[in-house]
C-alpha cells in the first residue's frame, strides 16, 4: 500500500480520537512494545498505529476509517491472550484498536441481577465493583488483574469457577458491538429469555475479534456466598480424582464452585521455584486436587458438609490425605499454589502449552495412553499436567527435557508434540482448545480437527459479516 492512504487514515483517526490517542512509530520516543508483543513473547508485530478510542462512537469511527482505507484492525484488551490473537502481524499495516480507555461501569441492576460494563474494564475491577454492591461476578482467572471483560468475552474465557457458573458466555446476557462496517448493534439486553431469532450474542462471544468489536456487555451477577471453604487433597490417581468429583457433585450440589487437579511434576516445579509457598502433600501422591465449597448458609454448615465429603472420600479410598483451609488467608495460599504452576513452568524454561478438553469420564484413560505415547516418542519429555478437572479441561503442558536446550527442543519438537496430543484428543472426541482459543497459534491446526461442515459454516459467517477481512484477519480461520 502506498504511503498516502495511510497518511489520510492517520489524519482521520486523529480527527476522531484526538492526537493523544493515536500512537505511531513516528511519534518522538515512541515505544509500542506493550501493544505489539504478546504475553508469552511468541510474536512481536509492528503496528501502523495504536488507536485508543474512549467511546463506542469513537470505536465506530475507527472501524469506518480503517474499512474505507482497506486497513485491517486487531482488537486488543489486556493483551494477556495466550494464542497470539491480540497483537498485529509484522507488516506495519494493521491498526491495533485498544479498548482499555473504555473502562466505565455503566450500571448495576440489583433486582435484575445484572451489571452493564464497557469492554475495557479490567476483570478484577469488575469483581470488586460487584462485591461492593453486594454481589458476586463469578468469572475468575489468574490474569484477572490485567485482562479485560471484552477480551474475556471475545475468547469465551473459562477459569476456576466454570464447574458451577459456566464460562464467560454463560455469564453474558447482552452485548454492544461495532460491526466490521462500523455500525453499532445495541444488544445490551438484560433479558434471560429472548427467542427472537439467531443468537448474535453467542456468535460474537468467542469470535476472537474476527467478526466485530465488543464495546460493552451486560453480565449476570450472583449473590455473594455466606462462606467459602477450600480443601487440598492428595489422591491416588486420576480415576480417584474423577470419582471424587462425582462424589463432590452429589454431596455439595451447587456448592461445588471449584475442582482443580494438579500432577506431581507440576507441583514439584512450584516447590522448586517458589519454596516459600509451601506446596502441601505433593510428595506422596501422583495427583492433588483443590476443591472449593461455596455455601449460602454459614461457615459451620460449609465445614460440616466438607468434612462429611472428605470422610466418605477417605472411606472409599479416593483421598489419601487432605487439608481444609482454616482461614481465608490459608485458602488464598492454596489457590496461589495452583495459580503459580504456569509461572513455575516459565521459571523452569520454555514449554509447550495445551488447553484441551475431554469428556471427564475418559480423562484417566486419555492421560494414561497419551503420557505413555509421549514418553515413548519424545525421549526425556516432562509432562506438566494440571487444570480444571471439573470441566474436563486440562493444561496438558510439555516441558523440555531436563538440562537440555529448551529453545532447540521447542523448534524441533513443538509441532510434532502438538500433533501427537491433538490426534489423541481427537481419538477421545475432545477439543484442541477449551479455553485460550485459536488465535494465530492454532489457526493452521483447526482444519485438521474441526468438523468440515462446521468449518464451512464458520467461513460462511466470516464472509457474511466481514467480507473485506477488516477484523483480525488470519486469526481463528487461517487465510492461506
Ligand atoms: P487480549 O489478549 O487483549 O485479546 C484476546 C483476543 O480477544 C484477541 O483475539 C483480541 O483480538 C480479542 N479481543 C480483545 N478485546 C476485544 C474486544 N473488545 N472485542 C473484540 N475482540 C476483542 N484464559 C482462560 O480462559 N482461562 C484461564 O484460566 C486463563 N488463565 C490465564 C492465566 C494467565 C497468567 C494468563 C496470562 C492468561 C490466562 N488466560 C486464561 C488467557 C487470557 O487471559 C484470556 O484469554 C483473557 O480472556 C484475555 O483477555 P484480554 O483482555 O487480555 O484479551
Ligand atoms: Zn485454565
Amino acid at each position: 500500500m502506498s504511503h498516502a492512504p495511510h497518511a489520510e487514515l492517520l489524519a482521520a483517526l486523529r480527527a476522531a480520537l484526538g492526537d493523544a490517542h493515536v500512537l505511531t512509530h513516528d511519534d518522538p520516543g515512541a515505544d509500542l512494545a506493550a501493544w505489539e508483543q504478546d504475553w508469552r513473547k511468541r510474536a512481536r508485530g509492528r503496528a501502523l498505529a495504536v488507536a485508543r478510542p474512549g467511546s463506542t462512537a469513537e470505536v465506530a469511527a475507527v472501524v469506518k476509517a480503517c474499512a474505507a482505507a482497506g486497513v485491517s484492525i486487531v482488537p486488543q484488551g489486556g493483551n494477556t491472550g495466550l494464542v497470539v490473537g491480540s497483537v498485529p502481524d509484522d507488516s506495519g499495516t494493521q491498526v491495533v484498536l485498544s479498548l482499555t480507555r473504555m473502562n466505565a461501569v455503566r450500571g448495576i441492576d440489583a433486582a435484575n441481577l445484572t451489571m452493564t460494563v464497557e469492554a475495557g474494564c479490567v476483570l478484577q475491577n469488575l469483581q470488586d465493583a460487584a462485591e461492593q454492591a453486594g454481589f458476586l461476578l463469578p468469572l475468575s482467572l489468574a490474569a484477572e488483574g490485567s485482562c479485560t471483560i471484552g477480551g474475556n468475552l471475545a475468547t469465551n474465557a473459562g477459569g476456576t469457577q466454570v464447574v458451577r457458573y459456566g464460562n464467560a458466555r454463560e455469564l453474558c446476557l447482552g452485548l454492544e458491538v461495532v460491526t466490521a462496517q462500523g455500525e453499532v448493534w445495541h444488544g445490551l439486553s438484560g433479558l434471560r429469555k429472548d427467542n427472537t431469532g439467531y443468537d448474535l450474542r453467542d456468535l460474537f462471544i468467542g469470535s476472537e475479534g474476527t467478526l466485530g468489536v465488543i464495546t460493552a456487555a451486560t453480565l449476570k451477577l450472583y449473590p455473594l456466598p455466606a462462606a467459602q471453604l477450600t480443601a487440598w487433597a492428595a489422591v491416588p490417581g486420576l480415576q480417584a480424582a474423577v470419582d471424587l468429583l462425582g462424589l463432590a457433585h452429589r454431596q455439595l450440589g451447587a456448592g461445588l464452585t471449584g475442582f482443580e487437579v494438579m500432577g506431581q511434576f507440576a507441583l514439584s516445579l512450584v516447590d522448586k521455584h517458589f519454596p516459600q509457598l509451601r506446596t502441601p502433600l505433593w510428595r506422596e501422591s501422583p495427583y492433588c486436587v483443590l476443591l472449593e465449597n461455596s455455601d449460602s448458609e454459614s461457615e459451620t454448615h460449609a465445614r460440616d458438609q466438607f468434612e462429611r465429603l472428605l470422610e466418605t472420600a477417605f472411606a472409599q479410598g479416593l483421598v489419601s490425605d487432605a487439608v481444609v483451609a482454616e482461614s481465608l488467608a490459608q485458602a488464598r495460599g492454596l489457590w496461589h499454589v495452583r495459580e503459580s504452576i504456569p509461572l513455575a513452568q516459565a521459571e523452569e524454561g520454555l514449554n509447550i502449552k495445551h488447553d484441551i478438553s475431554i469428556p471427564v469420564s475418559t480423562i484417566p484413560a486419555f492421560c494414561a495412553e497419551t503420557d505413555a505415547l509421549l514418553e515413548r516418542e519424545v525421549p526425556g519429555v516432562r509432562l506438566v499436567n494440571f487444570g480444571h478437572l471439573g470441566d474436563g479441561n486440562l493444561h496438558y503442558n510439555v516441558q523440555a527435557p531436563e538440562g537440555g536446550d529448551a529453545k532447540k527442543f521447542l523448534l524441533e519438537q513443538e509441532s510434532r508434540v502438538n500433533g501427537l496430543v491433538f490426534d489423541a484428543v481427537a481419538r477421545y472426541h475432545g477439543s484442541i482448545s477449551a479455553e485460550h482459543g485459536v488465535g494465530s497459534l492454532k489457526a493452521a491446526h483447526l482444519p485438521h480437527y474441526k468438523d468440515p461442515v462446521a468449518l464451512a459454516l464458520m467461513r460462511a459467517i466470516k464472509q457474511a459479516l466481514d467480507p473485506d477481512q477488516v477484523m483480525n484477519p488470519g486469526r481463528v480461520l487461517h487465510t492461506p
Side-chain angles (χ1 to χ4, degrees):
M1 199 165 284
S2 69
H3 183 71
H6 284 171
E8 237 171 72
L9 170 62
L10 293 176
L13 295 179
R14 290 197 173 104
L17 309 187
D19 290 351
H21 301 305
V22 181
L23 318 176
T24 72
H25 283 282
D26 292 337
D27 303 339
D31 181 4
L32 306 186
W35 294 273
E36 292 177 334
Q37 173 79 67
D38 78 306
W39 194 86
R40 288 175 66 193
K41 300 206 167 26
R42 294 294 300 252
R44 170 83 194 257
R46 186 177 169 86
L48 169 64
V50 176
R52 305 182 65 227
S55 68
T56 305
E58 288 184 7
V59 173
V62 171
V63 175
K64 277 196 171 135
C66 289
V71 163
S72 58
I73 293 171
V74 181
Q76 189 181 93
N79 199 16
T80 68
L82 301 175
V83 290
V84 190
S86 53
V87 292
D89 65 21
D90 56 12
S91 65
T93 63
Q94 297 188 309
V95 167
V96 173
L97 197 167
S98 168
L99 278 301
T100 52
R101 284 182 62 226
M102 289 191 64
N103 59 4
V105 174
R106 291 191 188 163
I108 292 181
D109 183 338
N112 200 45
L113 286 171
T114 52
M115 167 186 219
T116 297
V117 305
E118 291 184 345
C121 291
V122 169
L123 177 57
Q124 195 166 49
N125 294 343
L126 295 182
Q127 295 165 345
D128 292 347
E131 191 171 335
Q132 272 159 29
F135 296 106
L136 173 74
L137 174 66
L139 189 63
S140 175
L141 48 148
E144 64 201 19
S146 48
C147 65
T148 63
I149 192 68
N152 299 148
L153 289 163
T155 59
N156 187 25
T160 52
Q161 300 202 309
V162 175
V163 67
R164 164 72 177 90
Y165 299 102
N167 42 27
R169 170 171 278 122
E170 275 121 318
L171 295 170
C172 179
L173 292 174
L175 286 183
E176 180 185 87
V177 170
V178 172
T179 69
Q181 292 72 39
E183 304 293 323
V184 182
W185 168 43
H186 298 282
L188 285 177
S189 104
L191 300 178
R192 278 154 216 269
K193 304 182 96 170
D194 176 12
N195 286 346
T196 53
Y198 305 147
D199 199 323
L200 300 174
R201 174 194 64 204
D202 277 357
L203 189 55
F204 285 104
I205 295 173
S207 67
E208 301 184 46
T210 62
L211 300 179
V213 185
I214 296 170
T215 51
T218 301
L219 305 171
K220 282 187 200 167
L221 297 174
Y222 287 82
L224 279 169
Q228 213 164 37
L229 285 184
T230 303
W232 181 289
V235 297
L238 271 179
Q239 187 58 53
V242 168
D243 293 344
L244 177 62
L245 172 64
L247 191 68
H249 274 308
R250 287 194 297 279
Q251 294 205 1
L252 304 179
L256 179 67
T257 49
F259 196 100
E260 300 283 310
V261 71
M262 299 154 290
Q264 190 171 40
F265 181 64
L267 293 175
S268 81
L269 289 183
V270 178
D271 185 67
K272 175 176 169 187
H273 296 288
F274 308 113
Q276 72 281 10
L277 296 185
R278 298 166 185 272
T279 301
L281 307 183
W282 65 275
R283 280 174 211 278
E284 67 253 37
S285 61
Y287 286 93
C288 288
V289 300
L290 190 56
L291 301 96
E292 187 182 76
N293 178 21
S294 300
D295 196 290
S296 56
E297 276 185 50
S298 66
E299 165 115 16
T300 323
H301 184 255
R303 215 166 269 283
D304 284 352
Q305 259 197 330
F306 230 19
E307 275 162 16
R308 239 177 298 135
L309 169 68
L310 290 172
E311 270 166 33
T312 317
F314 274 117
Q316 295 183 2
L318 304 179
V319 163
S320 54
D321 204 349
V323 285
V324 179
E326 291 296 328
S327 63
L328 201 61
Q330 263 183 26
R332 288 217 176 100
L334 295 176
W335 277 103
H336 193 46
V337 173
R338 156 65 184 88
E339 276 159 8
S340 299
I341 296 173
L343 303 175
Q345 273 204 275
E347 288 292 315
E348 184 73 6
L350 292 171
N351 55 80
I352 304 170
K353 286 197 196 305
H354 294 127
D355 62 308
I356 55 173
S357 62
I358 314 281
V360 170
S361 48
T362 50
I363 279 182
F366 168 85
C367 289
E369 186 182 313
T370 315
D371 290 5
L373 175 75
L374 288 176
E375 275 154 21
R376 207 165 55 232
E377 294 287 326
V378 189
V381 73
R382 297 185 295 165
L383 293 169
V384 183
N385 190 5
F386 66 99
H388 319 289
L389 188 68
D391 329 320
N393 170 202
L394 294 178
H395 295 301
Y396 192 80
N397 295 348
V398 171
Q399 200 85 34
E402 181 144 39
D405 180 344
K407 226 179 189 147
K408 189 160 163 268
F409 174 82
L410 231 67
L411 216 62
E412 288 172 358
Q413 299 284 358
E414 180 164 25
S415 78
R416 204 167 141 255
V417 167
N418 284 340
L420 291 168
V421 172
F422 294 166
D423 286 351
V425 166
R427 283 196 297 278
Y428 278 82
H429 311 292
S431 168
I432 64 166
S433 173
E435 274 197 328
H436 303 156
V438 178
S440 311
L441 274 190
K442 285 180 230 151
H445 290 286
L446 199 64
H448 300 288
Y449 299 102
K450 192 89 184 168
D451 177 278
V453 175
L455 199 67
L457 290 171
M458 283 169 61
R459 288 193 184 282
I461 290 167
K462 172 73 176 174
Q463 180 62 26
L465 269 61
D466 182 21
D468 298 328
Q469 299 283 329
V470 174
M471 297 302 310
N472 222 355
R475 269 69 198 250
V476 183
L477 292 169
H478 195 48
T479 37

